[in-house]
Amino acid sequence: MVALLIIVILAALALQRYFVRRAKDAGNIKYVCRPSVRSCEPGEVFLVHSNVANTGKRPSAAIYIEERFPEQLNVLESEQFNVIVLKNGYRIYSSSVIIRPKQQIKRYLRASISERGEYRFSDADFKAGDFLGFHEFSHRMENDARIVVFPPKIEDAAFLSAFSNAADEIARRKQLLEDPISVCGYDPYTGREPLRMISWKQSAIRNELTVKKYDPVWNRSVQIVLDMQYHGEFDLNRRRQEICFSTARTVCEELEKRHIGYRLVTNAVISEDISVLSSEGGMGGSFRKILYSLGVAKHGAFCTLEETMRVACDAPGKQELIVFIATRPDDDVTESLNRARAFTGAKIVTLFASDLLPTPDDDKAKPSLKGGTKA
């Protein structure tokens, strides 16, 4: 009997030592968590892939995993995850796995995020215990994957009516007549260009249909100025800035649909300088880059409105229209717009978030946004 007891104790100690070694060994465990897309629309469903692999020759211990997902993540389906805990600005999801040698476990959940911004899928904590339950070993698995959610569109036609009318007029003039000074070369006719772009003289010289190629600097006749400087009413400022991002996105998209080239100048916190983004219209890659920049932008202003307007007014080429977007009007705004009007001679359309999100004492309509705004 004593001999049997000794054998049991020795076996338990051997198992304990074996499981302690397995619990301590995290070098062969690999972890990657990332969303299925780099960017998306508000409320658009995407997948979050969470993969755990064992590159070693021994099976892993039973691993308890705590993963950090964005707090704003709206999970639609998560069969392989258990508990949801809100902690330090993250949504903690827990699960357990045992991984065989050279095995990779692929898991996913369906989710969406309704608010604009850049969101991070951060590090995970892996915990494993010994055979007798005396010790628990924790390992931090580094991870840094991100997804950017674009600003929602504004659907209030009355709010955008002044801009829409001005943009329609520019589009009509663009269809009727391209500025001959802006012609910088000629390309073969592909069948996709409008007939008005055909140069009959060059077609006769080259003995093939040839179209005029216009200098893109001349095509960017619209300037969009997105001002994030604080103009008062602190309690509403953050929400109004969100409306400004949505307004800029909507204005850019409308110009893209009309194939009107434009430049977006903003002092929003996107990079380490004033951001200047341009597009020739047509919903191409440049527009996607602008959407991404508006999605990652932080609240607040990188520099003053005066510096931003100086960059906008110094842009090359003629300016037919300036679309000015800000949280609300004040003396600084009025003075800057007057200077810009005198310097460029362009028509200026103002779009203020305070018109959509007024003070509580004002009975004006609240914003109509596709996808909602951040409260």
Side-chain angles (χ1 to χ4, degrees):
M1 190 67 179
V2 175
L4 178 61
L5 180 61
I6 293 174
I7 291 173
V8 170
I9 292 174
L10 291 176
L13 291 175
L15 285 173
Q16 171 73 353
R17 183 177 180 183
Y18 173 71
F19 276 95
V20 166
R21 289 178 59 190
R22 284 174 56 185
K24 284 183 175 181
D25 184 15
N28 295 321
I29 304 299
K30 308 300 179 184
Y31 168 75
V32 176
C33 179
R34 62 181 183 273
S36 58
V37 293
R38 184 167 175 255
S39 54
C40 67
E41 297 285 352
E44 181 180 345
V45 177
F46 58 89
L47 299 180
V48 179
H49 296 285
S50 174
N51 300 335
V52 185
N54 180 8
T55 61
K57 298 180 180 180
R58 294 196 305 263
S60 72
I63 302 174
Y64 177 78
I65 306 175
E66 289 186 349
E67 298 179 74
R68 291 173 173 82
F69 296 153
E71 184 178 354
Q72 296 83 354
L73 193 72
N74 177 32
V75 177
L76 307 176
E77 180 183 358
S78 58
E79 295 180 355
Q80 295 169 294
F81 297 85
N82 303 317
V83 182
I84 306 172
V85 181
L86 294 179
K87 183 179 179 182
N88 297 330
Y90 287 101
R91 189 180 292 270
I92 306 297
Y93 272 68
S94 64
S95 58
S96 299
V97 295
I98 298 178
I99 318 172
R100 295 193 298 270
K102 307 298 183 182
Q103 182 189 21
Q104 182 182 41
I105 296 178
K106 296 183 177 181
R107 308 168 307 164
Y108 72 91
L109 54 85
R110 295 174 64 250
S112 66
I113 299 177
S114 61
E115 301 178 30
R116 181 201 70 86
E118 182 180 32
Y119 298 91
R120 183 183 180 214
F121 294 83
S122 185
D123 305 338
D125 288 329
F126 280 45
K127 300 177 182 179
D130 58 20
F131 176 68
L132 298 177
F134 292 156
H135 305 284
E136 182 180 72
F137 302 93
S138 179
H139 308 280
R140 175 64 57 88
M141 308 297 285
E142 295 184 356
N143 190 75
D144 186 12
R146 299 168 189 263
I147 187 171
V148 172
V149 180
F150 303 146
K153 288 180 62 177
I154 288 183
E155 304 291 353
D156 193 318
F159 175 63
L160 298 171
S161 60
F163 157 73
S164 299
N165 293 337
D168 288 340
E169 179 61 27
I170 292 175
R172 281 193 294 269
R173 290 204 303 270
K174 186 173 183 292
Q175 289 178 350
L176 293 174
L177 179 65
E178 294 282 1
D179 191 337
I181 301 177
S182 66
V183 176
C184 64
Y186 301 92
D187 287 327
Y189 178 68
T190 64
R192 294 188 295 270
E193 299 87 353
L195 293 177
R196 61 186 171 80
M197 291 182 63
I198 296 177
S199 171
W200 299 108
K201 179 178 179 180
Q202 289 295 322
S203 297
I205 294 173
R206 301 186 182 194
N207 199 28
E208 65 174 349
L209 285 177
T210 304
V211 294
K212 292 171 281 189
K213 183 169 64 175
Y214 294 96
D215 185 348
V217 171
W218 286 87
N219 283 336
R220 298 188 196 117
S221 56
V222 177
Q223 294 271 4
I224 303 170
V225 179
L226 173 59
D227 173 39
M228 288 287 107
Q229 181 176 309
Y230 175 69
H231 295 294
E233 298 185 353
F234 178 80
D235 291 343
L236 297 174
N237 184 62
R238 186 181 180 90
R239 295 170 63 190
R240 284 174 174 168
Q241 286 192 338
E242 284 299 320
I243 294 176
C244 288
F245 287 125
S246 293
T247 302
R249 180 254 167 91
T250 307
V251 167
C252 290
E253 187 164 327
E254 292 301 314
L255 292 173
E256 293 282 342
K257 292 176 181 177
R258 292 168 171 83
H259 294 269
I260 298 175
Y262 62 93
R263 295 170 80 245
L264 171 63
V265 181
T266 179
N267 57 6
V269 183
I270 299 174
S271 62
E272 297 180 354
D273 201 349
I274 295 177
S275 296
V276 181
L277 305 164
S278 61
S279 173
E280 306 306 321
M283 310 291 284
S286 297
F287 177 55
R288 193 78 180 179
K289 181 179 179 181
I290 290 172
L291 285 181
Y292 190 90
S293 298
L294 292 175
V296 301
K298 305 297 187 295
H299 293 97
F302 174 81
C303 63
T304 64
L305 170 58
E306 181 180 0
E307 295 174 89
T308 308
M309 290 301 293
R310 187 181 303 119
V311 171
C313 292
D314 287 343
K318 59 182 180 180
Q319 298 188 37
E320 296 185 46
L321 175 65
I322 295 177
V323 182
F324 180 80
I325 303 168
T327 55
R328 63 185 295 271
D330 65 2
D331 292 341
D332 286 343
V333 169
T334 301
E335 183 178 351
S336 294
L337 293 180
N338 288 337
R339 285 200 301 264
R341 189 177 291 108
F343 184 80
T344 64
K347 178 178 180 180
I348 298 180
V349 173
T350 58
L351 298 172
F352 294 113
S354 57
D355 292 335
L356 286 180
L357 185 62
T359 56
D361 296 333
D362 199 326
D363 293 328
K364 293 181 180 179
K366 290 187 177 181
S368 174
L369 299 181
K370 184 179 181 181
T373 58
K374 188 181 291 186

